[in-house]
């Protein structure tokens, strides 16, 4: 129980509340309530003996209960979006989200929402935001949704096609686009999530001259670098590097003869080795090329290609790849959702070790399948195929659960972030939101 000197009074919209400094401290330093404490976590005094806040008192009561108990109870007559807006004002959005769902676990995910997009045609990509929202690329449009799935003004790119999108942080989105026919341009831009405003255009320089190019796959490192595959009109084929803080190009890894970097389908930054995975896959190219680039040494430190490999069906149809640093391997998947592994400890890559126990699909292929995608999150492996996403765990990557929704057609892309999994379907631009339910509150009795 709070002592008398620990008690705090609030006048919220004319309604009185009383709580303790201990309860308010649960809000954390970066909240409105955290600002009421000094550096030693001693509560500052209110001049009138109470703090006045001109906000909704009903919402304040719910959020104060959340700080007291860690549980969120939303009255049936209170719109959840209104409560979330108030949580944003008080800086309690993380508490709100944590009470709504638990820590991400692929084996406990439940379908929370399904939303139909506004743009016609198939989606290109879906990317989960760090705050629980997402963005979806459709043709030359990018649609942005916040955590409550309210859509922000769409970002309209006057180019041929958006190739990739990625979140720099919770407020900024990077978009890579094709070069416009007859107009040049293309490349990458940094846009505001909330307004769609272009904040910075990233340029490619070759021999000290700015070049127009098509920017493709994107990746970001923890030391504020941006990577993108690039295709120019002359020799600007390769991987460009830019500084997030200055927006300036800092490096360019040119595509070696007989290899493919500028057409890459996927880039993945590996924090443990400070290398970049670059994967160019079938059917974008007739052959598959997977490599690790070390920008410090200016060289390709690992590579694998199916050129010269036995002409088996599996070897020729690798559709996605992802590095798994903990096991020193790269996981690949073919169109039948067979999983295979390449050894990163072998500089030549070796051959794919296909895992029979990880084969997930049975029966015939559907008439209009989507290419499978891979993701790794918190030690779990995720693989999409047709209308479902498989979850694999353990050292042998055994299938432990499957996420499926029968509406919307095949899954063309999925993304994990902000403690949510987003899955984009090929029909009607339906996307699903999967969440982990909060763990039950355990009560003890003496």
């Amino acid at each position: 129980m709070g002592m008398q000197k620990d008690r705090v009074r609030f006048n919220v919209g004319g309604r009185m509340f009383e709580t303790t400094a201990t309860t308010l401290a649960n809000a954390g330093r970066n909240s409105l309530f955290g600002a009421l404490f000094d550096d030693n976590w001693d509560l500052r005094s209110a001049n009138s003996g109470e703090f006045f806040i001109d906000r909704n008192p009903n919402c304040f009561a719910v959020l104060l209960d959340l700080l007291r108990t860690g549980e969120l109870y939303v009255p049936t007559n209170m719109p959840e979006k209104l409560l979330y807006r108030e949580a944003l004002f008080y800086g309690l959005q993380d508490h709100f989200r944590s009470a709504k769902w638990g820590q991400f676990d692929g084996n406990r995910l439940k379908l929370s929402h399904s939303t139909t997009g506004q743009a016609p045609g198939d989606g290109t990509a879906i990317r989960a935001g760090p705050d629980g929202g997402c963005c979806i690329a459709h043709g030359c449009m990018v649609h942005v949704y916040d955590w409550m799935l309210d859509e922000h003004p769409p970002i309209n790119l006057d180019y041929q096609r958006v190739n990739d999108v990625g979140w720099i942080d919770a407020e900024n989105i990077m978009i890579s686009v094709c070069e416009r026919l007859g107009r040049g341009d293309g490349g990458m831009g940094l846009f505001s999530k909330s307004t769609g405003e272009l904040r910075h255009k990233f340029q490619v320089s070759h021999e000290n001259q700015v070049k127009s190019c098509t920017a493709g796959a994107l990746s970001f490192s923890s030391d504020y670098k941006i990577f993108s595959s690039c295709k120019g009109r002359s020799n600007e084929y390769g991987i460009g590097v830019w500084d997030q803080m200055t927006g300036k190009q800092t490096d360019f890894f040119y595509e070696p003869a007989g290899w493919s970097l500028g057409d890459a389908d996927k880039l993945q930054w590996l924090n443990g080795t400070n290398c970049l995975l670059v994967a160019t896959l079938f059917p974008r190219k007739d052959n598959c090329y997977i490599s690790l680039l070390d920008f410090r040494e200016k060289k390709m430190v690992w590579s694998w290609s199916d050129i010269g490999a036995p002409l088996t069906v599996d070897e020729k149809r690798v559709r996605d790849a992802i590095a798994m640093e903990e096991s020193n391997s790269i996981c690949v998947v073919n169109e039948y959702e067979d999983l295979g592994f390449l050894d990163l400890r072998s500089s030549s890559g070796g051959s794919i070790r296909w895992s029979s126990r990880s084969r997930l699909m049975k029966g015939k292929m559907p008439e209009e399948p989507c290419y499978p995608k891979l993701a790794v999150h918190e030690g779990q492996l995720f693989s999409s195929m047709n209308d479902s996403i498989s979850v694999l765990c353990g050292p042998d990557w055994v299938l432990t659960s499957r996420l499926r929704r029968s509406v919307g057609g095949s899954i063309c892309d999925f993304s994990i972030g902000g403690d949510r999994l987003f899955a984009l379907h090929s029909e009607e631009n339906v996307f699903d939101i999967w969440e982990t339910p909060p763990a039950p509150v355990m009560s003890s009795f003496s």
Side-chain angles (χ1 to χ4, degrees):
M1 295 180 61
M3 303 298 291
Q4 182 72 24
K5 64 179 181 180
D6 192 38
R7 291 165 65 176
V8 189
R9 300 186 70 193
F10 288 93
N11 180 340
V12 182
R15 182 174 160 188
M16 301 303 300
F17 295 87
E18 192 165 320
T19 185
T20 67
T22 303
T23 295
L24 296 181
N26 291 333
R29 179 65 75 186
N30 295 325
S31 68
L32 181 146
F33 301 115
L36 302 179
F37 294 86
D38 62 20
D39 293 340
N40 296 318
W41 283 101
D42 292 324
L43 190 68
R44 306 178 196 274
S45 299
N47 293 332
S48 60
E50 64 187 35
F51 294 97
F52 176 75
I53 306 175
D54 190 16
R55 302 294 291 191
N56 187 306
N58 295 326
C59 292
F60 185 87
V62 174
L63 295 173
L64 185 58
D65 245 7
L66 173 61
L67 293 179
R68 287 169 173 154
T69 65
E71 299 178 55
L72 180 67
Y73 172 73
V74 184
T76 56
N77 62 345
M78 180 178 292
E80 193 170 285
K81 291 182 179 180
L82 171 64
L83 184 59
Y84 183 63
R85 184 193 69 187
E86 293 299 289
L88 283 173
F89 173 80
Y90 293 109
L92 299 177
Q93 61 269 29
D94 288 341
H95 292 71
F96 187 94
R97 288 196 292 263
S98 296
K100 285 285 292 179
W101 66 74
Q103 185 176 359
F104 187 91
D105 181 352
N107 290 315
R108 296 182 58 238
L109 289 173
K110 302 295 183 184
L111 180 64
S112 174
H113 306 283
S114 289
T115 301
T116 301
Q118 303 299 317
D122 292 346
T124 303
I126 188 166
R127 298 289 180 264
D131 62 350
C134 72
C135 61
I136 305 173
H138 294 279
C140 64
M141 303 282 291
V142 176
H143 297 267
V144 184
Y145 298 84
D146 65 16
W147 181 77
M148 293 299 294
L149 302 181
D150 285 335
E151 186 175 1
H152 292 289
I155 303 172
N156 188 356
L157 284 301
D158 188 20
Y159 302 121
Q160 288 180 285
R161 181 180 176 84
V162 174
N163 289 323
D164 200 1
V165 291
W167 293 82
I168 292 290
D169 52 40
E171 295 298 325
N172 296 284
I173 298 172
M174 182 70 69
I175 302 176
S176 65
V177 297
C178 290
E179 184 180 9
R180 282 188 291 186
L181 289 175
R183 295 282 302 274
D185 231 347
M188 302 186 303
L190 181 68
F191 293 82
S192 164
K193 173 195 78 172
S194 302
T195 66
E197 172 192 6
L198 175 63
R199 291 182 168 173
H200 185 76
K201 180 171 172 53
F202 293 79
Q203 297 178 320
V204 175
S205 295
H206 176 65
E207 296 180 348
N208 297 320
Q209 291 186 341
V210 175
K211 300 285 187 176
S212 62
C213 75
T214 289
L218 295 169
S219 186
F220 312 99
S221 69
S222 56
D223 59 348
Y224 305 104
K225 288 186 175 64
I226 302 168
F227 301 88
S228 176
S229 57
C230 298
K231 293 193 302 180
R233 297 184 181 182
S234 52
N235 295 322
E236 315 88 53
Y237 275 66
I239 306 297
V241 188
W242 291 262
D243 188 298
Q244 284 188 27
M245 310 306 292
T246 65
K248 302 296 184 182
Q249 181 180 330
T250 60
D251 207 344
F252 198 95
F253 197 109
Y254 288 95
E255 183 176 287
W259 202 255
S260 179
L261 297 177
D263 279 311
D265 297 82
K266 172 178 276 188
L267 303 183
Q268 179 190 354
W269 178 253
L270 309 183
N271 288 314
T273 58
N274 285 310
C275 290
L276 183 73
L277 169 75
V278 183
T280 308
L281 306 166
F282 183 87
R284 187 182 296 270
K285 288 283 190 177
D286 291 336
N287 293 101
C288 303
Y289 306 83
I290 304 174
S291 51
L292 290 184
L293 306 183
D294 188 333
F295 285 86
R296 299 164 301 178
E297 301 292 332
K298 305 291 186 184
K299 66 179 182 180
M300 188 182 298
V301 295
W302 183 94
S303 62
W304 173 88
S305 175
D306 59 11
I307 297 176
L311 297 179
T312 64
V313 172
D314 291 343
E315 290 280 347
K316 294 294 291 184
R317 293 182 178 174
V318 171
R319 298 301 178 100
D320 200 10
I322 191 165
M324 310 173 77
E325 289 191 272
E326 291 185 0
S327 59
N328 289 308
S329 64
I330 290 178
C331 179
V332 298
V333 63
N334 65 13
E335 64 187 59
Y336 303 104
E337 208 181 15
D338 292 318
L339 294 182
F341 298 88
L342 289 160
D343 192 345
L344 284 174
R345 292 167 295 188
S346 171
S347 60
S348 62
S351 60
I352 297 177
R353 175 175 56 86
W354 294 102
S355 177
S356 59
R357 76 173 57 186
S358 296
R359 183 164 186 159
L360 306 175
M361 176 157 179
K362 297 180 180 179
K364 295 182 179 180
M365 294 285 291
E367 293 182 2
E368 296 184 3
C370 283
Y371 300 140
K373 304 283 186 180
L374 295 170
V376 173
H377 190 81
E378 300 295 337
Q380 296 177 320
L381 176 63
F382 298 79
S383 176
S384 67
M385 188 67 185
N386 301 325
D387 65 347
S388 67
I389 297 175
S390 300
V391 185
L392 302 101
C393 299
D396 294 324
W397 300 115
V398 176
L399 175 65
T400 53
S401 61
R402 178 172 284 146
L403 314 176
R404 171 176 284 151
R405 180 176 174 272
S406 59
V407 178
S410 296
I411 294 171
C412 58
D413 197 17
F414 73 97
S415 181
I416 302 171
D419 283 330
R420 279 173 160 173
L421 184 149
F422 295 87
L424 178 63
H425 292 263
S426 59
E427 298 176 9
E428 300 179 358
N429 300 315
V430 172
F431 68 94
D432 303 326
I433 302 94
W434 295 79
E435 301 169 356
T436 304
V441 178
M442 305 297 294
S443 300
S444 59
F445 300 92
S446 56

